[in-house]
Amino acid sequence: MDEVMGAQLIAESLKTQKVDYMFGIVGVPVIEVATAAQAAGIKYVGMRNEQAACYAASAIGYLTGRPGACLVVSGPGLIHALGGMANANMNCWPLIVIGGSSDRNQETTGAFQEFPQVEACRLYSKFSARPSGLEAIPAVIEKAVRISIYGRPGACYVDITGDMVNAKLKRSTVRAVTCCPPPLVSLANHAAVTEAIAVLKAAQKPLVIIGKGAAYGKAETALKELVETAGLPFLPTPMGKGVLSDDHPNCVAAARSRALLQADVVLLLGARLNWILHFGLPPRFDPHVKVIQVDLCAEEMGNNVRPAVALLGDINQVVIQLLDGVCRDGWKYSSDTEWWNTLRKKIAANALSNKELALQSSVPMNYYTVFHHISELLPHDCIIVSEGANTMDIGRTMLKNYLPRHRLDAGTFGTMGVGLGFAIAAAALEMSEKRGQRIVCVEGDSAFGFSGMEVETMCRYNLPVVIIVVNNNGIYSGVDSDTWKEMAKMGDLTTIAPPITLLPEARYDKVMTAFGGRGFLVKTVEELRNALQLSLSDWERPSLLNVLIDPSSDRRQQEFPWLTRSNL
């Protein structure tokens, strides 16, 4: 009892900092760390790829506000995790990566998997360090966790050399380090809040844009009251969906392009004017739009568009400040303005267009038909994970979110391959908290391929995940089986097959059944509905629906395509 091993000290330090979940792949020199983590009460999920493990750990950070831990081996193991670290940093999600490394006495000698890990991780993280000795481990881990959640959240890296893992020291030589306190909450300048309300009151076409920063900041209660009290239309960004329910009468997501193009005042809440919002620039935005920018990061203010008013502070607290000012003034934007009428007409027109596509009965199905029937069956409290090109973009408009932090997708970095890692994290959280929520992962067939072996992880832990692979035989689009066979007769497919094609009608459902889960091959609406209902009712094992659609199915024509370039 007088001595403690390095692995045990790492695990206990993580647990002290309320890091409750660890995802990773073990090997020399970190096997003992995973075992010690379980002994300390940390839930350990063994994954099949470090990148997916890192995605999972970062999703825990977003969903809970405390970072998940990703445990990786040295060299290649860490390098595989860098994609997840970069994604967490770009999305502003807290994450701790614990990487094993070569023994200190072997540095520069060409040791097994030797790599400059601390230096490499600095490009992908907010903080990257190696404890100077075992006694420094608790302090370094506390600092990593603190930095990961303070300010703009992000990834942090802690390097643990192999000789530290099994080394022992006396507990009396280790300085006790308590759990870091929650992030400090700051308020916006009072005069700036007053100015922001004045700008809002003068607007003829106001618009609230809700970003995932508002979701992470848990601003939903105050924001709902502000939107309803002030009568303002709102538009969620992809992961801002659900902060206020998609079926809220003030939601104008179905008129996204029109709302962005014609708004004269935008209240930007925890969102960045990057590619997702077309940089805030013409032709997507009015060149004279006034932006009221709310963010907790001072460096973000004025990126691409100089704000009319900058409100620096905690999103939830700033919304409360705005709400107090609106209530004090008794102001409300009228619901019968020309702006509201324009938005409602556009919403109705787009809904009619989507419905026409959704109700087509042809086989193979199109995207809109598939999503229409999925949306009818999904529980309102399910967590939706989505990735792919058309799959994610069409799903964003047709699959409704009713609760905050219930949508996970490719995010700011546009990362494909995140889906199964995110779903595993959400399912592990659900298994622990037992809230009765299903995890539904809607993937394109290309996106599924990045981390398809993680279905074994889902089966191994009996995670309540339903995967829906919307299979169009390709990246963006593919070809049908007959066309593929004809191409194969013509010669070498490496010189003939279009680069966007994948194997037609690939049996992804059999990947799931190979590990003991449920697999369904779906070709018709009836098969889709039956398979999804059965999968949603089965809490004992995960399911995968391989939904074959028309390879030429595409998104309906957009007023402003999602990824077209802005005229910079």
Side-chain angles (χ1 to χ4, degrees), residues 363-412:
V363 176
M365 298 178 285
N366 65 46
Y367 282 105
Y368 292 86
T369 301
V370 170
F371 283 119
H372 169 73
H373 290 282
I374 292 173
S375 66
E376 285 193 339
L377 296 175
L378 289 187
H380 281 198
D381 64 350
C382 73
I383 292 179
I384 299 174
V385 181
S386 183
E387 63 171 332
N390 288 332
T391 299
M392 183 174 65
D393 292 344
I394 299 172
R396 174 176 53 87
T397 60
M398 296 193 69
L399 299 181
K400 303 297 184 184
N401 286 96
Y402 302 91
L403 295 169
R405 297 167 296 282
H406 276 55
R407 178 183 168 90
L408 298 163
D409 67 22
T412 304

Coordinates of all heavy atoms in Angstrom, one line a residue, residues 363-412:
V363 N -38.6 1.5 -57.4 CA -37.5 0.7 -56.9 C -36.4 0.6 -57.9 O -36.7 0.2 -59.1 CB -38.0 -0.7 -56.5 CG1 -36.9 -1.6 -56.0 CG2 -39.1 -0.6 -55.4
P364 N -35.2 0.8 -57.6 CA -34.7 1.2 -56.2 C -35.1 2.5 -55.7 O -35.4 3.4 -56.5 CB -33.1 1.1 -56.4 CG -32.9 1.3 -57.8 CD -34.0 0.7 -58.5
M365 N -35.1 2.7 -54.4 CA -35.6 3.9 -53.8 C -34.6 5.1 -54.0 O -33.5 4.9 -54.4 CB -35.8 3.7 -52.3 CG -36.9 2.7 -52.0 SD -37.0 2.4 -50.2 CE -35.6 1.4 -49.8
N366 N -35.1 6.3 -53.7 CA -34.2 7.5 -53.7 C -33.9 7.9 -52.3 O -34.5 7.4 -51.4 CB -34.8 8.6 -54.6 CG -36.0 9.2 -54.0 OD1 -36.2 9.4 -52.8 ND2 -37.0 9.4 -54.9
Y367 N -33.0 8.9 -52.1 CA -32.7 9.3 -50.8 C -33.9 9.8 -50.0 O -34.1 9.5 -48.8 CB -31.7 10.5 -50.9 CG -30.3 10.1 -51.1 CD1 -29.7 10.3 -52.4 CD2 -29.5 9.5 -50.1 CE1 -28.4 10.0 -52.6 CE2 -28.2 9.2 -50.4 CZ -27.6 9.4 -51.6 OH -26.3 9.1 -51.9
Y368 N -34.8 10.6 -50.7 CA -35.9 11.2 -50.0 C -36.9 10.2 -49.5 O -37.5 10.4 -48.4 CB -36.5 12.3 -50.9 CG -35.6 13.5 -51.2 CD1 -34.7 13.4 -52.2 CD2 -35.6 14.6 -50.3 CE1 -33.8 14.5 -52.4 CE2 -34.8 15.6 -50.6 CZ -33.9 15.6 -51.6 OH -33.0 16.6 -51.8
T369 N -37.1 9.2 -50.3 CA -38.1 8.1 -49.9 C -37.5 7.4 -48.6 O -38.2 7.2 -47.7 CB -38.2 7.1 -51.0 OG1 -38.8 7.8 -52.2 CG2 -39.2 6.0 -50.6
V370 N -36.2 7.1 -48.7 CA -35.6 6.4 -47.5 C -35.7 7.3 -46.3 O -36.2 6.8 -45.2 CB -34.1 6.1 -47.8 CG1 -33.4 5.6 -46.6 CG2 -34.1 5.0 -48.9
F371 N -35.3 8.6 -46.4 CA -35.3 9.4 -45.2 C -36.8 9.7 -44.7 O -37.0 9.9 -43.5 CB -34.6 10.7 -45.4 CG -33.1 10.5 -45.4 CD1 -32.3 10.8 -46.5 CD2 -32.5 10.1 -44.3 CE1 -30.9 10.6 -46.5 CE2 -31.1 9.9 -44.2 CZ -30.3 10.1 -45.4
H372 N -37.7 9.8 -45.6 CA -39.1 10.1 -45.2 C -39.6 8.9 -44.3 O -40.2 9.2 -43.2 CB -40.0 10.1 -46.4 CG -41.4 10.2 -46.1 ND1 -42.1 11.2 -45.6 CD2 -42.4 9.2 -46.3 CE1 -43.4 11.0 -45.4 NE2 -43.6 9.7 -45.8
H373 N -39.3 7.7 -44.6 CA -39.8 6.6 -43.8 C -39.0 6.4 -42.6 O -39.5 6.0 -41.5 CB -39.9 5.3 -44.7 CG -41.0 5.4 -45.7 ND1 -42.3 5.2 -45.4 CD2 -40.9 5.7 -47.1 CE1 -43.0 5.3 -46.6 NE2 -42.2 5.6 -47.5
I374 N -37.7 6.7 -42.6 CA -36.9 6.6 -41.4 C -37.4 7.6 -40.4 O -37.6 7.3 -39.2 CB -35.4 6.9 -41.7 CG1 -34.8 5.7 -42.5 CG2 -34.6 7.1 -40.4 CD1 -33.4 5.9 -43.0
S375 N -37.6 8.9 -40.9 CA -38.1 9.9 -40.0 C -39.4 9.6 -39.3 O -39.6 10.0 -38.2 CB -38.2 11.3 -40.7 OG -39.2 11.2 -41.7
E376 N -40.3 8.9 -40.0 CA -41.6 8.5 -39.4 C -41.4 7.5 -38.2 O -42.3 7.5 -37.3 CB -42.5 7.9 -40.5 CG -43.0 9.0 -41.4 CD -44.2 8.4 -42.3 OE1 -44.3 7.2 -42.4 OE2 -45.0 9.2 -42.8
L377 N -40.4 6.8 -38.2 CA -40.2 5.7 -37.3 C -39.3 6.0 -36.1 O -39.3 5.3 -35.1 CB -39.8 4.4 -38.0 CG -40.7 3.8 -39.0 CD1 -40.1 2.6 -39.7 CD2 -42.0 3.4 -38.4
L378 N -38.4 7.0 -36.3 CA -37.4 7.2 -35.3 C -38.0 7.8 -34.0 O -38.8 8.7 -34.1 CB -36.3 8.2 -35.8 CG -35.3 7.6 -36.8 CD1 -34.2 8.7 -37.1 CD2 -34.7 6.3 -36.4
P379 N -37.6 7.3 -32.8 CA -38.1 8.0 -31.6 C -37.6 9.4 -31.5 O -36.5 9.7 -31.9 CB -37.4 7.1 -30.5 CG -37.0 5.8 -31.2 CD -36.7 6.2 -32.6
H380 N -38.3 10.3 -30.9 CA -37.9 11.7 -30.8 C -36.7 11.9 -29.9 O -36.0 12.9 -30.1 CB -39.1 12.5 -30.2 CG -40.1 12.8 -31.3 ND1 -41.1 13.8 -31.1 CD2 -40.4 12.3 -32.5 CE1 -41.8 13.9 -32.2 NE2 -41.5 12.9 -33.0
D381 N -36.4 10.9 -29.0 CA -35.3 11.1 -28.1 C -34.0 10.4 -28.6 O -33.1 10.3 -27.8 CB -35.7 10.7 -26.7 CG -36.0 9.2 -26.5 OD1 -36.1 8.5 -27.6 OD2 -36.1 8.7 -25.4
C382 N -34.1 9.8 -29.8 CA -32.9 9.1 -30.2 C -31.7 10.0 -30.6 O -32.0 11.2 -30.9 CB -33.2 8.2 -31.4 SG -33.4 9.0 -33.0
I383 N -30.5 9.5 -30.4 CA -29.3 10.3 -30.9 C -29.0 9.9 -32.3 O -28.9 8.7 -32.6 CB -28.1 10.0 -29.9 CG1 -28.4 10.6 -28.5 CG2 -26.9 10.6 -30.5 CD1 -27.3 10.4 -27.6
I384 N -29.0 10.8 -33.2 CA -28.7 10.6 -34.6 C -27.3 10.9 -34.9 O -26.8 12.0 -34.7 CB -29.7 11.4 -35.5 CG1 -31.1 11.1 -35.2 CG2 -29.3 11.2 -37.0 CD1 -32.1 11.9 -36.0
V385 N -26.6 9.9 -35.4 CA -25.2 10.1 -35.9 C -25.3 10.0 -37.4 O -25.9 9.1 -38.0 CB -24.3 9.0 -35.4 CG1 -22.9 9.2 -35.9 CG2 -24.3 9.0 -33.8
S386 N -24.7 11.0 -38.1 CA -24.8 11.0 -39.6 C -23.5 11.4 -40.2 O -22.8 12.3 -39.8 CB -25.9 12.0 -39.9 OG -26.1 12.0 -41.3
E387 N -23.2 10.7 -41.3 CA -22.1 11.1 -42.1 C -22.2 10.6 -43.5 O -23.0 9.6 -43.8 CB -20.7 10.6 -41.5 CG -20.6 9.1 -41.4 CD -19.2 8.7 -41.0 OE1 -18.3 9.4 -41.3 OE2 -19.1 7.6 -40.4
G388 N -21.5 11.2 -44.4 CA -21.6 10.8 -45.8 C -21.8 12.2 -46.6 O -21.8 13.2 -46.0
A389 N -21.9 12.1 -47.9 CA -22.1 13.3 -48.7 C -23.6 13.6 -48.8 O -24.2 14.3 -47.9 CB -21.5 13.1 -50.1
N390 N -24.3 13.1 -49.7 CA -25.8 13.3 -49.8 C -26.5 12.7 -48.6 O -27.5 13.3 -48.1 CB -26.3 12.7 -51.1 CG -25.9 13.4 -52.3 OD1 -25.7 14.6 -52.3 ND2 -25.8 12.8 -53.5
T391 N -26.0 11.6 -48.1 CA -26.6 11.0 -46.9 C -26.7 12.0 -45.8 O -27.7 12.1 -45.1 CB -25.9 9.7 -46.5 OG1 -25.9 8.8 -47.6 CG2 -26.5 9.1 -45.3
M392 N -25.6 12.6 -45.5 CA -25.6 13.6 -44.4 C -26.4 14.8 -44.7 O -27.1 15.4 -43.8 CB -24.1 13.9 -44.0 CG -24.0 14.8 -42.8 SD -22.3 15.1 -42.3 CE -21.6 15.9 -43.7
D393 N -26.2 15.4 -45.9 CA -26.8 16.6 -46.2 C -28.3 16.5 -46.3 O -29.1 17.4 -45.8 CB -26.2 17.2 -47.5 CG -24.8 17.6 -47.4 OD1 -24.3 17.7 -46.3 OD2 -24.1 17.7 -48.4
I394 N -28.8 15.5 -47.0 CA -30.3 15.3 -47.0 C -30.8 14.9 -45.7 O -31.9 15.4 -45.3 CB -30.6 14.3 -48.1 CG1 -30.1 14.7 -49.5 CG2 -32.2 14.0 -48.2 CD1 -30.3 13.7 -50.6
G395 N -30.1 14.1 -45.0 CA -30.6 13.7 -43.6 C -30.7 14.9 -42.7 O -31.5 14.9 -41.8
R396 N -29.8 15.9 -42.9 CA -29.8 17.0 -42.0 C -31.1 17.8 -42.1 O -31.6 18.3 -41.1 CB -28.7 18.0 -42.4 CG -28.6 19.3 -41.7 CD -27.4 20.1 -42.2 NE -27.3 20.2 -43.6 CZ -27.8 21.2 -44.3 NH1 -28.6 22.1 -43.8 NH2 -27.7 21.2 -45.6
T397 N -31.8 17.8 -43.3 CA -33.0 18.5 -43.4 C -34.2 17.6 -43.1 O -35.3 18.1 -42.7 CB -33.2 19.0 -44.9 OG1 -33.1 17.9 -45.8 CG2 -32.0 20.0 -45.2
M398 N -34.1 16.3 -43.3 CA -35.3 15.4 -43.2 C -35.4 14.6 -41.9 O -36.5 14.2 -41.5 CB -35.3 14.4 -44.4 CG -35.5 15.1 -45.7 SD -35.9 14.0 -47.1 CE -37.5 13.5 -46.6
L399 N -34.2 14.4 -41.2 CA -34.3 13.7 -40.0 C -34.3 14.7 -38.8 O -33.3 15.4 -38.6 CB -33.1 12.8 -39.8 CG -33.0 11.7 -40.9 CD1 -31.7 10.8 -40.6 CD2 -34.2 10.8 -40.9
K400 N -35.4 14.8 -38.1 CA -35.6 15.9 -37.1 C -34.8 15.5 -35.8 O -34.8 14.4 -35.4 CB -37.1 16.1 -36.9 CG -37.9 16.4 -38.1 CD -37.5 17.7 -38.7 CE -38.4 18.1 -39.9 NZ -38.0 19.3 -40.6
N401 N -34.3 16.6 -35.2 CA -33.8 16.5 -33.8 C -34.7 17.3 -32.9 O -35.0 18.5 -33.2 CB -32.4 17.0 -33.8 CG -31.4 16.0 -34.4 OD1 -31.0 16.1 -35.6 ND2 -31.0 15.0 -33.6
Y402 N -35.0 16.7 -31.8 CA -35.9 17.4 -30.9 C -35.3 17.7 -29.6 O -35.9 18.4 -28.8 CB -37.1 16.4 -30.6 CG -37.9 16.1 -31.9 CD1 -37.5 14.9 -32.6 CD2 -38.9 16.9 -32.4 CE1 -38.2 14.6 -33.8 CE2 -39.6 16.5 -33.6 CZ -39.2 15.4 -34.3 OH -39.9 15.1 -35.4
L403 N -34.1 17.2 -29.3 CA -33.4 17.5 -28.1 C -32.0 17.9 -28.3 O -31.4 17.5 -29.3 CB -33.4 16.2 -27.2 CG -34.8 15.7 -26.8 CD1 -34.6 14.3 -26.2 CD2 -35.4 16.6 -25.8
P404 N -31.4 18.7 -27.4 CA -30.0 19.2 -27.6 C -29.0 18.1 -27.5 O -29.2 17.1 -26.8 CB -29.9 20.3 -26.5 CG -30.8 19.9 -25.4 CD -32.0 19.3 -26.2
R405 N -27.9 18.3 -28.2 CA -26.8 17.3 -28.2 C -27.2 15.9 -28.6 O -26.7 14.9 -28.1 CB -26.1 17.3 -26.8 CG -25.5 18.7 -26.5 CD -25.1 18.8 -25.1 NE -26.2 18.7 -24.1 CZ -27.0 19.7 -23.9 NH1 -26.8 20.9 -24.5 NH2 -28.0 19.6 -23.1
H406 N -28.2 15.8 -29.5 CA -28.7 14.6 -30.0 C -28.4 14.4 -31.5 O -29.0 13.5 -32.1 CB -30.2 14.4 -29.8 CG -30.5 13.9 -28.4 ND1 -30.0 14.5 -27.2 CD2 -31.2 12.8 -27.9 CE1 -30.4 13.9 -26.2 NE2 -31.1 12.8 -26.6
R407 N -27.4 15.2 -32.0 CA -27.0 14.9 -33.4 C -25.4 15.1 -33.4 O -24.9 16.0 -32.9 CB -27.5 16.0 -34.4 CG -27.0 15.8 -35.8 CD -27.5 16.8 -36.8 NE -26.8 16.7 -38.0 CZ -27.1 16.0 -39.1 NH1 -28.2 15.2 -39.0 NH2 -26.4 16.0 -40.2
L408 N -24.8 14.1 -34.0 CA -23.4 14.0 -34.2 C -23.1 13.8 -35.7 O -23.6 12.8 -36.2 CB -22.7 12.9 -33.3 CG -22.9 13.1 -31.8 CD1 -22.6 11.7 -31.2 CD2 -22.0 14.1 -31.3
D409 N -22.3 14.6 -36.3 CA -22.0 14.4 -37.7 C -20.5 14.8 -38.0 O -19.7 15.0 -37.1 CB -23.0 15.1 -38.6 CG -22.9 16.6 -38.5 OD1 -21.9 17.2 -38.1 OD2 -23.9 17.3 -38.9
A410 N -20.2 15.0 -39.3 CA -18.9 15.2 -39.7 C -18.3 16.5 -39.2 O -17.1 16.6 -39.1 CB -18.8 15.2 -41.3
G411 N -19.1 17.5 -38.9 CA -18.7 18.6 -38.1 C -17.8 19.6 -38.9 O -17.7 19.5 -40.1
T412 N -17.1 20.5 -38.2 CA -16.4 21.6 -38.8 C -15.3 21.1 -39.7 O -15.0 21.7 -40.7 CB -15.8 22.4 -37.6 OG1 -16.8 22.9 -36.8 CG2 -15.0 23.6 -38.2

